[in-house]
Amino acid sequence: MYNYNLHQQVNLDLQKSELDLTGKDNLFYTRFMANLSALHALYMDLYRHHPKADEKFNQLVATITDAYKERSAALKQRDEDKQKKGFWFLSNEITGMSLYVDRFCGNLQNMEEKLSYFKKLGVNFLHLMPIFESPQGESDGGYAVSDFRKVAERFGTLQDLKSLQKKMSKEGMYLMVDIVLNHTSRLHEWALKAKQGDAYYQDYFYMYDDRSLPDKFEKAMPEIFPESSPGSFTYIEECNKWVMTVFHNYQWDLNYTNPSVFVDMLDNIFFYANLGIDILRIDAPAFIWKQLDTTCQNLPQAHTILQLIKQCVQIATPGMALLGEAIVAPKEIQKYFGTGLATAKECDFAYNATQMALQWDALATGNTKVMLAAQYEILKKPYGTTWITYTRCHDDIGLGYDDYMIENAGFNAYEHRKYLKNYYSGSIKSSPAKGALFSVNPKTQDARISGSLASLCGLEKALDENDVQATEMAIRKILMMQAQSFFIGSVPMIFYGDELGYTNDYSYLDDPGKSYDNRWMHRPVIDWDKNKMIEDEGTIEHRIFSATQHLISIRKKLDVVADRKNITWLAPHNIHITGYLRSDGDKKLFCLFNFSHAQAYLTWFAFKEHGPAPTKLYDHWSNQYFTVGQDHEYLVMEPYTFHLFEAQ
Ligand code: GLC
């Protein structure tokens, strides 16, 4: 709502700046004025009672203005181009890959040479795993940042990053990096000052003189890394205080009840925006607000902070979309897109962690009932936002969907999860999967799963045992898992190495900075001699790479795959087969996946339940035509195969 004092004050501030408010900077001015009320309301929701609320709000306004001023003309043009396209990120033409620069090709300079590799595959969007300074040996894969603005020497320089961004942008590629919002490394400047007794910076963290509040907090807070980092607080001898460390003991949680922390971190966000980042991955947003007697996850204020960030970004650097990495319960994930008046005004992207885990569920059981039981929740995603879909990423697989989803499918939740964990960690002899349990909580027996896509699909074991038939099945599983996540309505994110079937890499066990964390088994060091084999027909590498390439090219040519909230799940005629329909007017794409180790039969009636029945289907995957049969006849699907049928 219009507020004379507020609007007049910001208006005057902007008039005083050197911006050309009626000319080239008019769009910025319009955006600022349009968003100001919402921005102010969100800010005051968090900080109304803070003694420095007004002073920090003025600083916030200045931070936004400076960010816009510092944005290059090229990026401002890119912002405008993206805005003209509408929701540019809903497109079916974007396919991503997530990778560790050092493990992929050494450093940022080498990345430029590798752009042709991505082009060949069809990938035009890169997520560079954290490259900013982070102490080796206690870096959590780069998620313990000691300097948000300095590229760690082992990756190169800021100049290298800028040069890579320019080259990518010229080639029509998009770039994503992380802002690790929840915590800093214990070696970050703010943490060092706090440790030395500086009260101003102690207020940047949750620091306590004794265990009384930490004990109270811990009563309700689940442990994230119970094996390697139990508890949520760490004693700091130098200042004789306890600091909150929800993740590892070297990752200090930032205190967002202090508006200075918000403004400083917003400034870091703009620093990334002005490097030309297209999508900013907000790491662990579920944790950014803490409150006694709660789990300190998914609190309403965490959403307020994200909405506030969105408003600020929309004003100064509107071409940068936000991805909230909330790997939480299905209905909590939805909230990161915004709720109520803020619907579709929070994160533009979230990870479809529920779907990812459900695919692993279906692969282990051969039964797709739980996946179907969960869809009604997943489908609530608002128009104008989208998913990152994936089968594997650098993290573990958490079976975080709700018990009632498992129960609605007719299973006992505890036994069902136990089976999945045993299946993937290799304790069921007949299971072809080779993974490991991650972060087993001895108190709750809760655990997640580590392992690469290929190893969890059985390739490692099949190769060890020289089993041709099992190798064939593993390859089919890999491709079916990828295909299901590619066409579901999202931006697919391939994890590097999976495009050619890398199995687990156990070299992490020799590195004391990594050996305590088995997620490193699925973060391979790329061997470019092996990668050359993508050219050799008949090799596994060639088969998986060219099939992945084919999947991406199909996605790119089918506009119906763009995320217009145009997905309908097919009725479950066969529990082994999942199917969804992507449609737009007359255009229909039926995507079907057989999760069974045996042939599965699907009545042709399945194709007749959604508008006029097609008579013919063209399978983009196999390049074959199929004639739709009578209702009592069946489409026969071979084990672990899929179809991408366009209705004719
Ligand atoms: C995110 C990252 C994970 C990291 C954690 C703490 O969940 O994906 O790798 O350990 O945040 O920063």
Side-chain angles (χ1 to χ4, degrees):
M1 225 199 290
Y2 177 69
N3 169 333
Y4 178 80
N5 288 331
L6 171 71
H7 285 83
Q8 201 48 10
Q9 180 207 322
V10 174
N11 191 13
L12 288 175
D13 283 352
L14 291 177
Q15 306 283 354
K16 273 188 254 153
S17 68
E18 298 116 51
L19 294 170
D20 179 6
L21 301 184
T22 52
K24 70 176 179 17
D25 301 313
N26 183 253
L27 272 179
F28 165 73
Y29 181 67
T30 311
R31 292 195 299 263
F32 215 146
M33 287 303 145
N35 283 22
L36 189 53
S37 299
L39 180 108
H40 187 252
L42 290 164
Y43 176 87
M44 284 304 171
D45 228 23
L46 295 167
Y47 301 120
R48 176 168 294 115
H49 301 296
H50 195 281
K52 286 192 183 155
D54 289 335
E55 176 194 328
K56 287 289 155 187
F57 186 75
N58 294 342
Q59 202 179 319
L60 176 71
V61 169
T63 303
I64 297 173
T65 313
D66 289 346
Y68 174 75
K69 279 190 191 160
E70 280 155 25
R71 197 157 179 78
S72 69
L75 288 178
K76 284 177 183 162
Q77 186 57 51
R78 201 165 154 91
D79 288 341
E80 219 174 306
D81 295 344
K82 283 179 180 163
Q83 285 180 299
K84 274 188 198 145
K85 277 192 199 161
F87 296 108
W88 59 274
F89 47 81
L90 303 184
S91 161
N92 54 306
E93 291 180 18
I94 310 176
T95 307
M97 181 180 280
S98 176
L99 58 89
Y100 289 95
V101 172
D102 51 348
R103 300 171 88 75
F104 185 73
C105 64
N107 57 35
L108 286 164
Q109 277 186 4
N110 297 344
M111 279 294 293
E112 294 197 20
E113 288 159 32
K114 297 294 179 207
L115 294 187
S116 54
Y117 179 80
F118 302 118
K119 206 172 209 169
K120 186 181 173 75
L121 180 60
V123 159
N124 53 3
F125 164 41
L126 296 182
H127 171 209
L128 305 185
M129 296 297 293
I131 47 173
F132 288 89
E133 198 160 84
S134 167
Q136 259 177 328
E138 49 170 61
S139 85
D140 187 19
Y143 286 102
V145 182
S146 51
D147 188 333
F148 288 103
R149 299 186 183 209
K150 185 168 178 278
V151 168
E153 252 164 56
R154 60 184 184 279
F155 298 111
T157 62
L158 194 62
Q159 199 42 50
D160 296 337
L161 177 60
K162 286 183 182 167
S163 156
L164 176 66
Q165 186 279 331
K166 276 215 179 85
K167 194 149 186 218
M168 285 177 63
S169 165
K170 220 190 222 157
E171 304 204 359
M173 294 180 77
Y174 299 107
L175 181 59
M176 174 158 95
V177 299
D178 285 81
I179 177 87
V180 185
L181 207 61
N182 180 65
H183 44 257
T184 71
S185 152
R186 71 182 177 98
L187 299 182
H188 187 280
E189 192 193 345
W190 301 336
L192 292 177
K193 286 187 176 157
K195 208 186 286 180
Q196 283 154 13
D198 184 331
Y200 181 80
Y201 285 103
Q202 287 185 342
D203 202 24
Y204 270 48
F205 302 96
Y206 292 93
M207 291 192 113
Y208 302 97
D209 292 335
D210 57 40
R211 283 281 323 176
S212 48
L213 280 170
D215 283 343
K216 272 194 188 148
F217 266 114
E218 278 183 355
K219 268 199 189 125
M221 288 171 85
E223 292 171 297
I224 307 301
F225 297 132
E227 286 173 317
S228 58
S229 221
S232 297
F233 287 84
T234 301
Y235 179 64
I236 308 301
E237 214 178 310
E238 289 89 334
C239 59
N240 187 26
K241 282 185 192 286
W242 290 87
V243 68
M244 187 184 280
T245 53
V246 168
F247 290 87
H248 291 102
N249 54 19
Y250 51 79
Q251 289 164 309
W252 291 20
D253 286 60
L254 284 165
N255 170 15
Y256 281 91
T257 64
N258 177 355
S260 304
V261 171
F262 178 80
V263 176
D264 282 356
M265 288 305 283
L266 181 70
D267 206 26
N268 286 329
I269 289 176
F270 283 140
F271 176 76
Y272 294 155
N274 282 343
L275 289 176
I277 300 309
D278 296 288
I279 301 174
L280 186 70
R281 179 185 184 276
I282 301 183
D283 184 61
F287 296 85
I288 54 180
W289 196 272
K290 319 295 195 297
Q291 199 168 292
L292 269 180
D293 300 324
T294 72
T295 58
C296 296
Q297 291 182 31
N298 303 311
L299 294 179
Q301 294 89 337
H303 292 283
T304 309
I305 292 178
L306 293 172
Q307 286 161 22
L308 185 54
I309 292 174
K310 179 70 188 163
Q311 294 287 339
C312 298
V313 165
Q314 235 178 29
I315 297 170
T317 61
M320 184 172 77
L322 303 178
L323 160 63
E325 187 250 349
I327 312 300
V328 291
K331 75 169 184 316
E332 293 298 336
I333 297 183
Q334 296 296 337
K335 295 184 189 158
Y336 289 84
F337 293 118
T339 48
L341 285 176
T343 300
K345 292 191 180 72
E346 195 171 314
C347 295
D348 305 292
F349 286 89
Y351 283 97
N352 200 339
T354 311
Q355 175 64 24
M356 179 276 296
L358 288 168
Q359 288 187 201
W360 288 106
D361 180 311
L363 193 73
T365 59
N367 185 319
T368 64
K369 275 186 175 173
V370 189
M371 192 190 293
L372 269 180
Q375 292 308 324
Y376 99 99
E377 194 62 64
I378 298 179
L379 292 176
K380 287 182 190 161
K381 177 181 70 60
Y383 182 82
T385 62
T386 195
W387 299 110
I388 292 286
T389 48
Y390 60 120
T391 51
R392 289 302 291 113
C393 70
H394 69 289
D395 277 332
D396 44 283
I397 302 170
L399 306 172
Y401 38 96
D402 298 292
D403 285 358
Y404 78 87
M405 294 172 173
I406 303 176
E407 278 149 18
N408 283 355
F411 305 111
N412 172 293
Y414 178 80
E415 292 299 329
H416 187 79
R417 285 210 176 82
K418 190 164 132 198
Y419 172 75
L420 297 176
K421 285 181 277 186
N422 289 341
Y423 180 92
Y424 286 116
S425 63
S427 46
I428 294 180
K429 273 228 160 69
S430 59
S431 162
K434 221 169 160 189
L437 292 183
F438 173 70
S439 265
V440 182
N441 189 328
K443 292 169 217 156
T444 58
Q445 288 312 308
D446 216 15
R448 286 111 73 185
I449 295 156
S450 283
S452 72
L453 172 66
S455 291
L456 294 178
C457 284
L459 188 59
E460 186 175 334
K461 197 167 174 192
L463 293 176
D464 283 351
E465 293 171 1
N466 233 330
D467 185 333
V468 178
Q469 173 65 9
T471 304
E472 169 64 25
M473 287 304 138
I475 296 174
R476 285 194 194 175
K477 286 180 188 175
I478 291 170
L479 299 177
M480 185 189 65
M481 290 288 280
Q482 295 291 52
Q484 172 132 33
S485 83
F486 276 26
F487 290 88
I488 208 159
S490 61
V491 169
M493 183 70 80
I494 300 167
F495 191 60
Y496 79 111
D498 289 348
E499 78 281 14
L500 67 160
Y502 268 73
T503 52
N504 291 339
D505 181 340
Y506 299 102
S507 63
Y508 78 99
L509 290 168
D510 303 325
D511 178 344
K514 298 191 171 77
S515 56
Y516 62 90
D517 186 339
N518 70 20
R519 289 177 297 175
W520 286 100
M521 77 167 59
H522 54 256
R523 300 169 178 175
V525 176
I526 294 302
D527 165 1
W528 285 94
D529 282 333
K530 178 178 164 72
N531 281 43
K532 273 192 206 134
M533 284 156 71
I534 60 171
E535 307 292 349
D536 302 343
E537 261 182 63
T539 60
I540 291 174
E541 289 77 5
H542 174 265
R543 231 183 116 184
I544 300 179
F545 187 90
S546 50
T548 310
Q549 208 176 23
H550 185 35
L551 285 174
I552 298 173
S553 72
I554 299 171
R555 236 184 82 76
K556 281 197 180 152
K557 67 179 186 223
L558 295 175
D559 177 63
V560 72
V561 179
D563 187 6
R564 297 195 197 89
K565 239 179 121 56
N566 53 342
I567 180 169
T568 310
W569 284 77
L570 303 187
H573 292 284
N574 180 328
I575 58 161
H576 305 299
I577 299 175
T578 53
Y580 50 75
L581 169 66
R582 305 299 314 278
S583 59
D584 186 16
D586 293 346
K587 275 196 226 142
K588 281 189 187 143
L589 186 76
F590 290 92
C591 306
L592 295 156
F593 309 87
N594 177 15
F595 280 85
S596 171
H597 63 278
Q599 277 185 339
Y601 290 65
L602 182 69
T603 162
W604 288 108
F605 180 67
F607 299 91
K608 304 173 187 172
E609 293 175 293
H610 302 276
T615 51
K616 261 195 159 156
L617 300 166
Y618 173 67
D619 184 11
H620 283 273
W621 173 239
S622 64
N623 294 321
Q624 281 177 325
Y625 282 93
F626 288 68
T627 303
V628 176
Q630 305 285 315
D631 296 355
H632 63 274
E633 293 173 332
Y634 297 92
L635 164 73
V636 183
M637 293 184 73
E638 294 303 316
Y640 306 117
T641 58
F642 60 94
H643 295 291
L644 303 170
F645 281 140
E646 186 171 345
Q648 301 292 301

